[in-house]
């Protein structure tokens, strides 16, 4: 039998069809099973905040240790004058890009910049 870590790549199309809580359950159920989840398009800021809240409630000593999450920043950084101007004229700023989520005790980010997320993944 092959040993290793399962990585699930989830398309933006699939995530768009889910409610906020369905997205959070999809992510947490997979991460709790020891899988790494890679989202083609990241979560909205409110979804990411809720994911962290739910994760904190589910952490238990000797059990679930939480999540590690890394996302490429938006192309415009989502801040400053360009981000403000986009919101002012009614355009949504660029959404976050690729997001990697995994068990905190198995996934460690080594390096992150605007074009690279480098991570170390261990098997259980």
């Amino acid at each position: 039998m092959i040993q290793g870590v399962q990585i699930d790549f989830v398309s933006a199309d699939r995530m768009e069809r889910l409610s906020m809580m369905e997205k959070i359950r999809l992510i947490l159920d997979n991460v709790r099973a020891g899988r790494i989840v890679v989202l083609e398009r990241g979560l909205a800021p409110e979804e990411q905040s809720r994911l962290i809240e739910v994760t904190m409630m589910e952490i238990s000593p000797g059990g679930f240790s939480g999540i590690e999450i890394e996302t490429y920043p938006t192309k415009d950084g989502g801040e400053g004058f360009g981000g403000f101007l986009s919101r002012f004229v009614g355009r949504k700023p660029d959404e976050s890009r690729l997001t990697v989520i995994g068990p905190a005790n198995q996934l460690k980010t080594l390096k992150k910049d605007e074009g690279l997320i480098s991570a170390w993944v261990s098997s259980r």
Side-chain angles (χ1 to χ4, degrees):
M1 180 173 190
I2 298 175
Q3 291 188 5
V5 176
Q6 181 174 329
I7 302 173
D8 293 339
F9 296 89
V10 185
S11 72
D13 290 340
R14 180 175 180 188
M15 293 298 281
E16 286 174 0
R17 292 190 301 261
L18 302 176
S19 70
M20 181 187 319
M21 287 310 296
E22 288 172 327
K23 291 175 186 178
I24 291 169
R25 282 284 31 115
L26 173 97
I27 292 165
L28 284 178
D29 291 348
N30 281 299
V31 170
R32 288 185 75 125
R35 298 180 193 119
I36 306 298
V37 178
V38 179
L39 304 177
E40 178 182 12
R41 186 175 308 132
L43 299 170
E46 58 274 1
E47 293 170 334
Q48 190 163 328
S49 294
R50 185 69 179 139
L51 172 63
I52 292 167
E53 286 176 29
V54 173
T55 299
M56 297 303 289
M57 290 187 284
E58 294 188 11
I59 291 174
S60 63
F64 182 54
S65 62
I67 63 172
E68 175 85 9
I69 182 169
E70 286 296 343
T71 301
Y72 287 123
T74 57
K75 289 182 182 178
D76 69 358
E79 302 184 340
F81 185 71
F84 169 77
L85 186 58
S86 293
R87 286 190 300 278
F88 182 72
V89 296
R91 280 190 13 225
K92 283 176 39 179
D94 290 341
E95 297 177 1
S96 59
R97 303 182 302 170
L98 184 97
T99 299
V100 180
I101 308 165
N105 63 348
Q106 289 180 256
L107 178 67
K108 298 294 177 214
T109 303
L110 301 176
K111 179 181 175 183
K112 176 186 165 191
D113 63 32
E114 64 187 36
L116 172 74
I117 296 174
S118 180
W120 177 78
V121 180
S122 68
S123 58
R124 293 184 186 195

